């Protein structure tokens, strides 16, 4: 309706435009043909941020918290990408834990049983609170539908029957891993001749800019 | 895709209530604090509602162990809850609102500091960083942390930390988590797939009787007696972890509702101080303090307090006479903002703080302030006019605001287009003919508050993304700077010469230093802005919550 009577002056509306304040003869703004701009010009500047001691302290707190949380075991890092070739330096790289173990010790009594995972030991001699079976590894790919119920009941049966056997198997595995872990820990905790932060395995070679060629690169 | 799974993909009713802006913000917060894997699962649950484990694994495409780890983390931090369904499987549900509270962690910690000093600050910080902990674990950790900051030879006693913990519990700033029930009713029956955690209201703030004796331990730097120290330390750690702690199974968490109550009270006191004077605000503060544990968090007003009681409870420094107090109370009750109301005449006069009205006033003041900053003071005048007069025609706005027609129309349309004001039609005749209809401008405060809250979520999300972008753009330089810092620190520890240190410092060129300065300034500004917007989010959310009728 609005555009039809263009010949007779301005477009006509279904209601009396004077009621909303458009006087006779006023030009209506042109129609909008595109979405509003991404960064529209600011008519008024934003008020300055409140500074002061409280603001400063909260800022420091916020940034510290962010940093702290990245270092806690709750920050679940994705597995490191598989290297094409095994390198000598891999032993010395501080890589994030990849496998099916959790790095902190939840109170399993408070959690659903289906969530239990092996707890990774961080130090030698630290006591195992639970040795648990990584269940369901084979079941991920299965199609769901009503088989869920069936699986739950099968699981219960399996658990009761085979828990002992699997515990023994786990302990054997643990024994082997302990040796490996021992080895790694000694390597890491001993003072090696090389300081880790200095070590550069050359993978970034060429990626850096060539600006400061005359300065030593550590 | 079989029929069996279809119902899980239907949007859960609670998921529909979450806007895209909220989901986006939750996503960013989870990613920044817990990493991408936890973020993916958290966001999935927020979008789709309640799901069992296998569906989560299937739909997110992540490995089973990754999903399990993530769920453990989310549950530990009170961001996801679980429930055993009648058919025997467990379903997980995300708490979107709780995820948004991550933004407020610094404010909770800072508040604890103002109320209970460094000890209180660290207790709350540890509880937030770890989600939930036993009291013994908190006390030990905080004592160690405080000892680190003390001069050589001094240590923090467990007893001091315990005392502060007890005070936090007494004032409800920390509370006990629901517990695993002690003994199953039928010991012969197979254990349920997940425990049903319970807690009695009256037990929520009861501190277990512990005899925590000890002092904080300093972390040694890796120097001399490393081997001897290490063995001793390991033995100690083994000793500590081999026996269950005396308060095993009793976990504590931060009671964020109590902190919110504190923020609300702060806001009210501050508003009274601005509007009236210091003494009035102290009287209101006293009334709120007296009502702390007797008023539920959603109550529309505090329990009535008699003028006599208030007089007795005024802080020690305030020497105002009883008559003066009564005058102040009358003034407060007569004020059109109605922060304080008079509910009776016994005991010298019964008075309450009108919490819901106060929240509405705070929210409205926020709206006014935003209109002023965004559109200018003349728009703000029109806005305040509409708030006072409720409904006005175009012509009336021009007349009352004393603004020329053309400009008034412009301003009204600008505010209309951004949903700060709305148009209401009042037909004069039953046929609703447009030429015979009143068009009235009005401000719908709850609707505008909701709109603004939605914008706040978007703002914080934008701020976070920009901050992450700035950091990412300068990643290489930041890493270089960190390496140099690390080298400098280790060189200083081993006593390097000044010239050597300077050589290392010069590895960062002057333009690079400039770049780092700029980056730091920008990141700080954005961080401070996020905190600032969260204050507005708090005011608006508190108000909107108070308008929702509870059964």
């Amino acid at each position: 309706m609005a555009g039809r009577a263009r010949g007779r002056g301005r477009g006509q509306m279904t209601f009396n435009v004077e009621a909303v304040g458009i006087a006779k003869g006023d030009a209506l703004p042109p129609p909008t043909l595109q979405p509003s701009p991404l960064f529209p010009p600011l008519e008024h500047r934003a008020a300055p941020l409140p500074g002061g001691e409280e603001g400063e302290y909260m800022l420091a707190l916020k940034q510290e918290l962010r940093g702290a949380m990245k270092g806690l075991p709750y920050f679940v890092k994705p597995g490191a990408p598989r290297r094409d070739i095994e390198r000598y330096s891999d032993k010395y790289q501080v890589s994030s834990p990849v496998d099916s173990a959790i790095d902190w010790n939840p109170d399993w009594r408070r959690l659903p049983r289906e969530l239990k995972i092996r707890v990774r030991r961080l130090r030698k001699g630290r006591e195992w609170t639970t040795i648990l079976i990584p269940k369901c590894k084979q079941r991920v790919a299965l199609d769901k539908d009503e088989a869920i119920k069936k699986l739950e009941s099968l699981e219960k049966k399996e658990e009761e029957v085979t828990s002992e056997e699997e515990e023994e198997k786990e302990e054997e595995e643990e024994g082997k891993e302990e040796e490996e872990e021992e080895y790694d820990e000694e390597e890491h905790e001993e003072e090696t001749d090389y300081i880790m932060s200095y070590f550069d395995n050359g993978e970034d070679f060429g990626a850096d800019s060539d600006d400061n060629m005359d300065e030593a690169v550590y | 895709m079989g029929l069996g799974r279809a119902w899980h993909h239907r949007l859960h009713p609670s998921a529909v209530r979450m806007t895209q802006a909220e989901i986006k913000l939750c996503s960013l917060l989870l990613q920044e604090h817990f990493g991408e894997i936890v973020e993916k699962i958290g966001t999935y649950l927020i979008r789709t509602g309640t799901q069992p484990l296998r569906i989560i694994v299937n739909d997110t495409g992540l490995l089973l162990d990754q999903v399990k780890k993530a769920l453990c983390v989310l549950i530990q931090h009170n961001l996801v809850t679980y429930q055993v369904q009648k058919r025997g499987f467990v379903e997980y549900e995300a708490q979107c609102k709780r995820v948004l509270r991550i933004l407020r962690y610094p404010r909770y910690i800072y508040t604890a500091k103002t109320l209970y000093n460094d000890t209180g600050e660290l207790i709350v910080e540890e509880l937030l960083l770890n989600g939930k902990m036993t009291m013994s674990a908190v006390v030990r950790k905080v004592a160690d942390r405080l000892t680190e900051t003390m001069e050589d030879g001094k240590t923090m006693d467990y007893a001091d930390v315990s005392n502060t913990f007890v005070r936090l519990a007494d004032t409800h700033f920390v509370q006990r988590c629901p517990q695993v029930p002690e003994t199953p009713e039928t010991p012969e029956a197979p254990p349920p797939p997940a425990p049903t955690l319970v807690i009695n209201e009256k037990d929520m703030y009861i501190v277990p009787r512990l005899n925590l004796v000890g002092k904080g331990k300093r972390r040694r730097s890796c120097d001399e007696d490393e081997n001897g120290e290490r063995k001793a330390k390991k033995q100690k750690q083994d000793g500590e972890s081999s026996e269950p702690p005396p308060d095993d199974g009793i976990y504590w968490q931060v009671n964020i509702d109590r902190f919110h109550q504190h923020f609300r009270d702060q806001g009210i006191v501050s508003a009274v101080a601005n509007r009236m004077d210091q003494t009035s605000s102290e009287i209101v503060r006293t009334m709120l303090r007296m009502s702390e544990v007797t008023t539920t968090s959603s109550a529309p007003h505090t329990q009535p307090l008699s003028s006599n009681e208030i007089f007795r409870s005024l802080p020690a420094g305030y020497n105002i006479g009883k008559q003066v107090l009564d005058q102040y109370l009358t003034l407060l009750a007569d004020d059109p903002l109605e922060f304080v109301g008079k509910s009776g005449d016994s005991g010298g006069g019964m008075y309450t703080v009108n919490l819901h009205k106060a929240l509405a006033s705070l929210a409205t003041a926020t709206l006014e302030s935003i209109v002023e900053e965004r559109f200018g003071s003349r728009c703000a005048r029109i806005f305040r006019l509409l708030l006072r007069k409720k409904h006005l025609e175009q012509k009336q706005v021009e007349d009352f605001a004393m603004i020329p027609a053309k400009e008034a129309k412009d301003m009204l349309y600008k505010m209309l287009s951004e949903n700060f004001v709305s148009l209401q039609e009042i037909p004069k005749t039953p046929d609703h003919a447009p030429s015979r209809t009143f068009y009235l401008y009005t401000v719908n405060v709850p609707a505008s508050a909701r709109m603004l809250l939605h914008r706040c979520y978007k703002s914080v999300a934008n701020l976070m993304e920009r901050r992450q972008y700035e950091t990412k753009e300068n990643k290489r330089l930041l890493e270089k700077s960190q390496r140099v810092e690390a080298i400098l620190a280790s060189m200083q520890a081993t006593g390097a010469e000044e010239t050597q240190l300077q050589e290392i410092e010069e590895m960062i060129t002057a333009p690079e230093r400039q770049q780092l300065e700029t980056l730091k300034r920008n990141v700080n500004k954005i961080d401070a802005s996020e905190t600032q917007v969260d204050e507005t989010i708090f005011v608006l959310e508190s108000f909107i919550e108070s308008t929702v009728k509870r059964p």
Side-chain angles (χ1 to χ4, degrees), chain A residues 166-179:
Chain A
E166 297 210 4
E167 268 194 281
E168 282 175 17
K169 257 192 242 163
E170 271 287 310
E171 284 184 312
E172 269 180 46
E173 273 180 37
E174 245 59 90
K176 282 189 215 147
E177 277 204 14
E178 201 183 343
E179 282 174 30

Side-chain angles (χ1 to χ4, degrees), chain A residues 14-23 26 39 42-47 49-50 53-54 57-59 61-66 68-70 72-79 97-104 106-117 120 123-127 129 133-137 139-146 148-149 151-152 155-156 185 189 191 195 197-198 207-209 212 215-218, chain B residues 2 4-5 31-38 53-55 57-58 64-66 68-73 75-77 82 87-90 92 103 105-107 109-110 113 121 125 129-130 132 177-180 191-195 197 222 226 230 234 237-238 241-242 248-249 251 373-376 394 409 413-414 423 434-435 437 439 441 467 476 480 483 487 490-491 504 506-507 509 512 523-525 527-532:
Chain A
T14 55
F15 59 98
N16 180 10
V17 294
E18 279 171 4
V20 286
I22 304 173
D26 262 0
F39 295 106
L42 270 182
E43 285 168 14
H44 304 267
R45 286 200 69 102
L49 289 165
E53 228 183 84
E54 182 175 334
Y57 198 85
M58 292 252 272
L59 176 63
L61 260 178
K62 187 169 196 274
Q63 295 178 338
E64 272 173 33
L65 267 174
R66 197 159 55 224
M69 292 202 80
K70 287 200 162 73
L72 287 175
Y74 311 115
F75 198 98
V76 181
K77 300 184 179 105
V98 172
D99 58 353
S100 58
I102 195 170
D103 298 312
W104 52 290
D107 188 343
W108 297 111
R109 299 169 294 185
R110 295 177 62 90
L111 293 167
R113 286 183 301 146
E114 63 186 5
L115 290 185
K116 281 174 179 173
I117 322 176
R120 184 195 314 279
R123 278 195 182 282
K124 294 184 284 195
R126 178 179 155 149
E127 190 203 86
T129 51
I133 312 147
K135 299 184 263 185
C136 316
K137 265 198 184 142
R139 299 197 185 135
V140 179
L142 278 183
D143 206 40
K144 305 303 170 276
D145 7 4
E146 84 285 343
I148 291 172
K149 263 189 288 182
L151 289 170
E152 295 281 344
E155 227 184 79
K156 285 191 189 122
E185 281 192 43
E189 288 188 11
E191 282 214 15
I195 300 174
S197 54
Y198 287 20
D208 285 2
S209 70
N212 304 311
E215 293 191 20
V217 178
Y218 283 82
Chain B
R5 260 176 50 200
Q31 184 196 47
E32 193 156 79
H33 292 87
F34 298 103
E36 279 177 19
I37 294 175
V38 173
L53 177 61
R54 293 165 205 284
I55 305 284
V57 174
N58 219 59
L64 177 64
D65 286 319
Q66 289 176 319
K68 285 183 185 178
K69 270 196 246 194
L71 285 171
C72 286
V73 167
I75 293 171
Q76 175 75 11
H77 283 82
Y82 61 81
R87 284 154 68 197
F89 60 92
V90 181
Y92 302 91
L103 196 53
Y105 282 8
R107 196 172 174 191
I109 298 170
Y110 181 73
K113 187 189 179 75
E121 176 190 1
E125 188 178 318
L129 283 175
N130 291 288
K132 28 172 106 68
C177 303
Q179 278 178 257
V180 179
L197 305 174
C222 5
E226 199 193 32
R230 204 161 22 128
K234 280 196 181 159
Q237 281 206 340
D238 284 351
S241 57
S242 56
D248 186 35
Y251 292 92
E373 292 298 323
R374 266 197 186 274
F375 304 113
Q394 170 79 38
K409 178 186 35 155
Y413 283 171
K414 214 181 326 184
L423 261 179
S435 56
T437 306
Y439 292 94
Y441 288 97
R467 176 167 50 75
R476 224 197 90 240
K480 178 176 176 185
R483 270 202 301 266
I487 294 168
S490 69
M491 281 177 74
I504 304 296
E506 277 162 21
M507 282 172 58
T509 65
E512 283 179 331
V523 167
N524 284 354
K525 208 176 233 184
D527 262 326
S529 304
E530 291 170 32
T531 304
Q532 185 67 20

